[in-house]
Amino acid sequence: MDFASLLGILSGLALIVSAILIGGNADIFVNVPGLMIVIGGTMAATLLTVQFRDVMNAFKGAYIVFTQDKTNPSEMIDTMIKLSKISHRHGLLKLGDVKTDSPVLKRACNLLSEAASEQVIRNTLQNEIDSLMARHFSVQDVFRKMAGYAPAFGMLGTLIGLIQMLSELDNPDTIGPAMAVALLTTFYGSLLSTMVFLPIAGKLKARTLLEVTNLEIIREGSISILTNDHYAHVYEQLSSYLPERERKSIFNQSDKKEAAKKGAKQ
């Protein structure tokens, strides 16, 4: 599981629960009808807004993001450098035998092994990037909508509670507890929005940006390999996707001589 996500969930819940326990009895924060209004209403409104398939894909995507390890751009750059070395030693045809868990990288290797043109490779991989962004946006949009609906249904539950409370004004002893119960739905809606739905949408957006960067590295690296660039040149082109502090020079003296000879021949 992603460490930052685990730390955020545990620390946030711990602080909220601690504040509740310090303030008094935790039982007063449990109200089943309020939970039914907020959770049920939020899910119902979401299903009315988007397709059921999109909702299922959203929860599935959230599970994958929070449980699977991410691939850093530096790791993807290292992979493209290895492919460049394979191409130089054995030719582009050898790239068709490369085994990888990434379907996009495998597709790029197949295109290179088939000696596809630069324009074909660029268009194909750009289509992969565009389709990934569209799929991920629909997933993020589900949680953003839920983040908007939850507080609204929390307020709706509060209004229902206030109406019920005002109908019992002839009994002053019930006003305080009834007011507390009425406000609980607003609490539930705000908690779900700020602690669950918005953070998930933000995490999904961050993972999307990371995956897009990796796909762009695959695209530009594949084009560099196709043009038979030296692997050190491939790195120098792809290193712009990394922060300055993470960049390194992979040129040694032999690399410089080899690259210089290759440039002279060209």
Side-chain angles (χ1 to χ4, degrees):
M1 183 176 183
D2 184 69
F3 177 75
S5 302
L6 178 62
L7 180 62
I9 292 173
L10 293 180
S11 61
L13 290 177
L15 290 172
I16 293 173
V17 172
S18 298
I20 291 174
L21 294 177
I22 292 173
N25 187 7
D27 293 340
I28 62 175
F29 284 87
V30 178
N31 182 256
V32 175
L35 288 172
M36 292 172 60
I37 291 172
V38 175
I39 297 177
T42 299
M43 292 303 302
T46 303
L47 290 172
L48 284 171
T49 306
V50 300
Q51 297 181 6
F52 179 77
R53 179 185 60 187
D54 294 333
V55 176
M56 296 303 297
N57 289 337
F59 283 101
K60 185 186 298 184
Y63 174 78
I64 292 174
V65 165
F66 282 93
T67 56
Q68 289 188 355
D69 294 331
K70 59 185 178 181
T71 301
N72 292 320
S74 58
E75 297 174 358
M76 185 57 68
I77 290 176
D78 291 340
T79 299
M80 299 308 299
I81 291 174
K82 292 177 182 177
L83 295 179
S84 178
K85 292 180 179 180
I86 293 174
S87 173
H88 271 77
R89 293 171 184 171
H90 306 288
L92 289 174
L93 188 61
K94 190 67 175 177
L95 295 178
D97 299 330
V98 171
K99 305 295 183 182
T100 176
D101 295 331
S102 172
V104 178
L105 181 59
K106 180 61 179 178
R107 191 174 186 183
C109 290
N110 290 337
L111 289 171
L112 288 171
S113 67
E114 296 167 359
S117 66
E118 176 181 339
Q119 193 63 37
V120 169
I121 293 177
R122 185 180 296 277
N123 290 341
T124 301
L125 297 182
Q126 184 60 47
N127 288 339
E128 291 283 355
I129 294 174
D130 294 339
S131 61
L132 179 140
M133 293 180 66
R135 292 193 306 271
H136 286 207
F137 176 81
S138 64
V139 171
Q140 297 166 27
D141 192 51
V142 169
F143 287 102
R144 282 194 289 265
K145 283 183 170 58
M146 294 175 74
Y149 292 142
F153 277 97
M155 183 58 67
L156 179 62
T158 297
L159 293 175
I160 293 173
L162 288 175
I163 293 172
Q164 294 173 342
M165 181 193 71
L166 292 174
S167 66
E168 299 291 336
L169 282 179
D170 56 341
N171 188 0
D173 293 337
T174 64
I175 294 178
M179 176 64 79
V181 171
L183 293 177
L184 275 178
T185 54
T186 299
F187 169 74
Y188 293 148
S190 299
L191 180 65
L192 287 174
S193 178
T194 58
M195 190 64 197
V196 179
F197 299 139
L198 285 178
I200 290 177
K203 178 66 72 172
L204 290 171
K205 182 178 180 180
R207 183 61 66 91
T208 297
L209 294 176
L210 181 63
E211 291 190 25
V212 167
T213 299
N214 286 332
L215 294 186
E216 289 177 347
I217 290 172
I218 293 175
R219 182 191 63 197
E220 298 304 321
S222 299
I223 294 172
S224 295
I225 293 173
L226 180 67
T227 56
N228 205 27
D229 282 346
H230 187 269
Y231 71 87
H233 290 163
V234 173
Y235 176 81
E236 293 300 330
Q237 292 181 26
L238 299 180
S239 62
S240 60
Y241 289 97
L242 298 176
E244 188 69 32
R245 64 180 181 277
E246 296 182 14
R247 300 178 188 177
K248 59 184 178 181
S249 176
I250 62 172
F251 277 102
N252 53 38
Q253 293 300 322
S254 60
D255 291 332
K256 290 180 180 179
K257 292 179 181 178
E258 183 180 350
K261 290 180 181 179
K262 192 171 187 62
K265 290 181 181 179
Q266 294 176 348

